[in-house]
Structure formats: C-alpha cells, structure tokens
C-alpha cells in the first residue's frame, strides 16, 4: 500500500457515487457494463464474473436496479427531498429512461448499480458442523438471531454523500442484486414467468430445514414459493421433505452467471452448477454442503452482521456468536418463531437506532425444559464442592407435543437489551420468569466447561462490549458516524456529507482502527468503545 493509504473497515465509502472525484485514479461514470449515472465500471472487480453479474441482473429485470434509501431529515434538509445528483437528460443507453419512468422516489437517496450494495463490507462467520444434522439445527436456530445481530452491529448511516434514515446495509444490497422481472415483482400479470416472488435473491431466510421435533408446522411459511417438480425429484431420490423444500425454493431462481465451458460437458461428479445457484441465493443464513472435491464437512454461514471499525469489536461479535452456537448445542436451546416474523424483524432492524428504539419478535422461553432463571447467571451457579468448579446442567428433555399451546403464545416483542441481557420478569406477569438473555445463557455455558481464568477474563471483555451495546451504554458504529457528521463544523444540518466531512470521518475511523482511541476529536471513541478518557 502507498504511504497515504490505510485499510479502514467501514461498511461503505461515504461518498461513493457522488458527483466529482471520489476515487483515485478518477474514471467517468456511465459506461457500458454498469450503465450507472454515478459510478464507473472500473470500480467493479475486473474478474469476468462480477461485471457479468451486474450486466445479467440488469438484462434479466429489463432495467437497472433501483435502490432508494430514505434520507435522514435534519433541520435544513430540503423537503420534500428530490435527489439533486440524478440526471434526467442522459440518453446513451435504453436504461437511461429508468429515471424518467419513476425509478427515483421522493425523500430518498437514489442509486442504480450493484456496486452500491455488493460493494459493502460486512462481518460473516462460517461455522463447521460435526454432521449434517448439526448443520441443519444451527441453520434454524441462528436464523432468528440474524435481525438482532444486524441491529446490534449497525454501522451504515451514509450513502452517496447523504445521511440516511436507516442504520444498516441489508436492504440496499438486496435491491442491488434484485433480478426479478416486472411479472415476478407483481407489477404485471404473469404471462412469461412462473411465479410472483416476494423477495429478492438477496434476502432473509424463508425456510427452516432441521428435523428437530421442536419445529412445528406453524413456524413454516404457508405461502413459500417452490419448484414442485424439483422438490418431487429430490424426494424421489431420497431427500427428506424439509430439505427438499429448501432447495426447491432456492431453485426458483435462474442462474445469473454461467461459464460456457461448464455447458460443454455435464460432469455428475462435480457440483459446479449447484454451487452456481446456491452461491447466488444470498440469504442471511446459508447452509453449505461439502464441496465435491474437499472434505470440509457441513457448514453454516452467518451473514447479517455489519463490519466494525476496530479489530476488538469484530473479535467481540465473532466470539460472541461462536459462544452462542456452543450454548445452543450444549443446552438444546429452541429459538423457533414463525419464519415470517424473522422477515419482519429484518425490516425492523433497519430503523435508525433500532437497537434502542425498536422491538423484535423473539421466543419467550428457549429452554426445552424448566430451568430456573437464576441458573442462567454465572454468579448464582451451583458449584462442585471441593473443586469449586461449576456443575454443568443435565441435558433437558423436550416438551411433549401434547402440551403445546398456540404458536402465538410462544413469542413476544422484545428490545435488543432484553434479548441480549435478559428480562427481569415476563411482560404482563409478576412471576419474575422473563427471557433469560443470550449473555446470561452463554455465561451459564462457560460455567459448565473448563475455562482457565485468563481466557475467561478475555471473554468477559468481549461480552461486556456486547452487553453495553445492547443496553445503549455504548453506541453502535452507525450512531458514532451520524454524531460525528452532525457535530462537524462544516455540517449545515442539510443531511449532506461533504468531502471535508468525509475525509475527517475516515481519518477518525482510521485512528480508531489503529488503536489511537484518544486522538479522535470529541472523544467519541469512548462513547462507542467504553475506553477511558
């Protein structure tokens, strides 16, 4: 890297797509591959897969992608807001008509290329399962956690030089690769296409896949779109109904990149065609079968989290999630809620400061049998006589299906703080038996295994960051960035992030990322990281 370059872990570059110069070297926008008003083709990875993806998505949907992000309305923001960077006079490509046909929405930041979404950075973790059954269970149990972790890691309040009224990147990526046609979107009656598809191919999960007896039919989407012919063929070949439904749902999509050499000869010993479709269904949790030529086993990829500005934060969220998976498997936890509620939760996570202001549907009792709430706090754990080591809880038994009540009684809306740190008592109840909290559950798990004191102290530092982010004692990255912009002396209260503000913001993020917490103007690092002044 050059002396004046630094690897800064922001989710997006604040002024990507702004008029003028935002890259070095500078290239003009509106070229053949992307046909974007705002970004040049040169910002796309030169590997043929990526410009081909962008071109094929545009070709299949019959127009450019449309990304409209609500703008943050500050005291001097023009209202109604009409994105002044949009050019309505361009007439070089057929897609230039998009903006004249209503692609730009009022009070929104408009973007028109895959790079505005897929150019984002995030924090993804892939877990190794010991077998297919464990992988399927992790896939299901991690799904309800996705929106919670998205809100907790929020770090994306700026797009194209404007403050947005959202805090996370997910919907923008979803729109940036949305290849659905007008018929599939429901804008026209079905004539040439087979289905009306409710979600982009980059979206939250729509299926559960485990054979866990705790998975009730009521949790599944009754309106799930599947290719029934593929589902039938999979089941005839020995795949169980639930997994066949999952893959038959993924296969309602067309492949959007196919290399010609892969079509010359079909090799049934390879999985290239499967991976082509699997890898372009970007759901918030991905179930990953082993590759044909590697002994990597069954894996589950957790995809919603936003990248953080410091290594410490990224380590904290990564380790926390690993500990949650160990806790799920050790205590046989059950986080099932209706899959449609996860979709609603993903939308809720986009709200500005959702970690403090919003509530999310979450299961009231994750424990498969009655474990008293005090056992989910490490300070109250029982110890084993002479050694003083915690006594692990015995594996609890699943509840009898005959005792199950209405699904609606199994979940309620909770704050992120309640989900992470626990409730003092159940809402509407005086029995003190509220949701135990993910961190107390993790601490109970840690009490049940042999962890040396030094490691436990390190883990405690990571858990403390998660705990305080959830409670609001520490800020999210999105709140840090928004505050930095609004307190900058050049900010005019009009939602505009100028070149000077962007430069100073990235310098501050670079200092934070390099561990120089105390030199950031305004000591904002303390409010985000909980460090001493």
């Amino acid at each position: 890297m050059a002396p004046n370059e630094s690897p800064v872990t922001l989710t997006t570059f604040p002024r990507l797509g702004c008029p003028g110069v935002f890259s070095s070297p500078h290239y003009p926008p509106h070229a053949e591959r992307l046909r974007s008003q705002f970004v040049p083709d040169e910002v796309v990875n030169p590997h043929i897969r990526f410009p081909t993806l962008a071109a094929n998505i545009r070709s299949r949907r019959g127009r450019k992608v449309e990304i409209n992000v609500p703008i943050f309305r500050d005291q001097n923001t023009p209202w109604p807001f009409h994105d002044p960077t949009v050019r309505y006079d361009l007439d070089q490509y057929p897609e230039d008509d998009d903006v004249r046909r209503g692609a730009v929405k009022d009070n929104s930041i408009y973007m028109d290329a895959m790079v505005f979404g897929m150019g984002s950075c995030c924090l993804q973790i892939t877990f190794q399962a010991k077998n297919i059954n464990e992988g399927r269970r992790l896939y299901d149990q991690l799904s309800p956690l996705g929106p919670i972790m998205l809100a907790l890691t929020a770090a994306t309040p700026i797009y194209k030089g404007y403050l947005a009224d959202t805090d996370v990147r997910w919907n923008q990526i979803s729109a940036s690769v949305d290849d659905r046609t007008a018929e599939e979107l429901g804008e026209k009656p079905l004539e040439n296409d087979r289905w009306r598809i409710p979600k982009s191919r980059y979206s939250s999960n729509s299926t559960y896949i485990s054979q866990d007896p705790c998975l009730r039919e009521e949790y599944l989407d009754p309106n799930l779109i599947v290719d029934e012919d593929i589902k039938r063929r999979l089941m005839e070949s020995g795949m169980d109904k639930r997994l066949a439904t999952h893959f038959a749902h993924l296969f309602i999509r067309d492949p959007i990149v196919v290399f010609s050499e892969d079509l010359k000869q079909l090799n049934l010993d390879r999985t290239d065609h499967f991976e082509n479709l699997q890898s372009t269904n970007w759901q918030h949790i991905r179930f990953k079968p082993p590759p044909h030529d590697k002994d990597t086993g069954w894996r589950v990829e957790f995809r919603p989290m936003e990248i953080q500005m410091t290594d410490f934060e990224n380590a904290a969220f990564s380790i926390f999630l690993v500990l949650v998976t160990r806790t799920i498997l050790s205590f046989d936890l059950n986080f099932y809620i209706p899959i449609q509620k996860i979709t609603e939760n993903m939308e809720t996570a986009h709200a500005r400061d959702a970690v403090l202001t919003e509530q999310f549907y979450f299961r009231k009792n994750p424990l498969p049998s009655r474990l008293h709430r005090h056992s989910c706090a490490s300070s109250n754990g029982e110890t084993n006589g002479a050694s003083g080591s915690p006594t692990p809880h015995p594996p609890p038994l699943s509840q009898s299906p005959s005792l199950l009540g209405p699904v609606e009684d199994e979940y309620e809306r909770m704050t992120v703080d309640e989900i992470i740190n626990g409730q003092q008592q159940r809402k509407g109840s005086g029995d003190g038996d509220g949701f135990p909290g993910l961190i107390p559950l993790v601490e109970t798990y840690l009490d049940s295994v042999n962890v040396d004191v030094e490691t436990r102290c390190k883990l405690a530092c990571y858990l403390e960051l998660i705990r305080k982010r959830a409670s609001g004692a520490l800020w999210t990255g999105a709140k840090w960035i928004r505050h930095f912009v609004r307190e900058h002396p050049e900010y005019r209260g009009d939602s505009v992030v100028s070149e000077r503000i962007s430069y100073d913001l990235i310098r501050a993020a670079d200092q934070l990322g390099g561990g120089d917490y105390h030199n950031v103007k305004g000591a904002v690092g303390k409010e985000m990281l909980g460090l001493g002044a």
Side-chain angles (χ1 to χ4, degrees), residues 187-473:
E187 298 173 351
K188 294 180 180 180
L190 285 175
E191 293 181 2
N192 301 308
D193 293 309
R194 302 170 66 187
W195 304 284
R196 182 175 183 268
I197 303 177
K199 294 180 180 180
S200 165
R201 64 195 302 147
Y202 193 114
S203 63
S204 59
N205 289 17
S206 297
T207 60
Y208 288 126
I209 64 174
S210 176
Q211 294 178 301
D212 190 328
C214 291
L215 176 51
R216 301 173 61 175
E217 286 294 323
E218 296 95 322
Y219 301 149
L220 307 177
D221 183 357
N223 301 312
L224 183 71
I225 307 297
V226 299
D227 188 316
E228 292 292 348
D229 180 59
I230 289 177
K231 179 178 176 180
R232 176 185 56 79
R233 293 169 63 186
L234 289 173
M235 293 180 66
E236 288 174 353
S237 298
M239 187 176 287
D240 63 84
K241 179 180 178 181
R242 212 158 268 163
L243 200 57
T245 299
H246 169 74
F247 287 117
H249 171 65
L250 297 186
F251 276 53
I252 66 173
R253 312 287 179 176
D254 285 343
I256 47 178
V257 174
V258 178
F259 294 104
S260 59
E261 55 268 28
D262 292 336
L263 299 177
K264 293 177 181 178
Q265 183 176 359
L266 180 62
N267 186 345
L268 296 179
D269 294 326
R270 299 179 61 88
T271 56
D272 298 39
H273 293 298
F274 165 77
E275 290 295 345
N276 188 7
L277 275 170
Q278 159 93 342
S279 66
T280 55
N281 272 275
W282 297 282
Q283 299 187 326
H284 82 280
I285 311 291
R286 178 177 285 163
F287 181 63
K288 305 179 74 170
H292 71 280
D293 56 349
K294 295 179 182 178
D295 186 21
T296 55
W298 300 87
R299 293 154 297 151
V300 175
E301 187 176 67
F302 191 87
R303 302 169 49 82
M305 293 191 293
E306 310 241 299
I307 196 72
Q308 306 295 292
M309 281 175 273
T310 69
D311 291 345
F312 175 75
E313 295 166 279
N314 289 314
F317 284 110
S318 300
I319 289 171
F320 172 65
L321 204 60
V322 170
L323 292 174
V324 167
T325 64
R326 300 305 96 189
T327 305
I328 289 171
L329 296 174
S330 295
F331 293 160
D332 196 25
L333 299 182
N334 174 11
F335 291 123
Y336 280 123
I337 59 174
I339 197 80
Q340 300 97 313
K341 295 302 180 185
I342 297 177
T343 300
E344 291 184 44
N345 282 348
M346 287 294 283
E347 291 300 316
T348 300
H350 284 73
R352 179 161 42 92
D353 218 14
V355 70
L356 297 181
T357 63
E358 300 295 327
Q359 292 184 320
F360 297 80
Y361 293 104
F362 211 75
R363 190 176 184 86
K364 296 177 185 179
N365 180 14
L367 305 171
S369 70
R370 191 78 175 169
L371 285 179
H372 294 298
R373 191 183 193 289
H374 73 267
S375 69
C376 290
S378 58
S379 59
N380 294 331
E382 297 179 0
T383 58
N384 183 2
S387 68
S389 60
T391 302
H393 298 294
L397 299 174
S398 296
Q399 190 176 10
S400 169
S402 63
L403 301 177
L404 296 176
V407 166
E408 293 75 16
D409 292 343
E410 296 180 349
Y411 61 90
E412 66 183 14
R413 297 178 69 189
M414 303 183 197
T415 65
V416 173
D417 186 27
E418 291 173 324
I419 294 168
I420 297 296
N421 295 320
Q423 297 172 319
Q424 292 302 313
Q425 64 182 36
R426 176 78 62 224
K427 293 177 182 177
S429 170
D431 62 5
D433 193 19
F435 181 74
L438 295 180
I439 286 182
L441 286 167
V442 164
E443 290 176 331
T444 301
Y445 164 73
L446 292 173
D447 286 343
S448 72
V449 295
N450 292 322
V451 180
D452 63 82
V453 174
E454 183 179 0
T455 301
R456 190 67 186 265
C457 288
K458 289 180 180 179
L459 294 177
C461 293
Y462 293 136
L463 293 178
E464 186 69 3
L465 175 74
I466 309 294
R467 193 191 319 273
K468 289 185 175 180
R469 284 283 174 89
S471 71

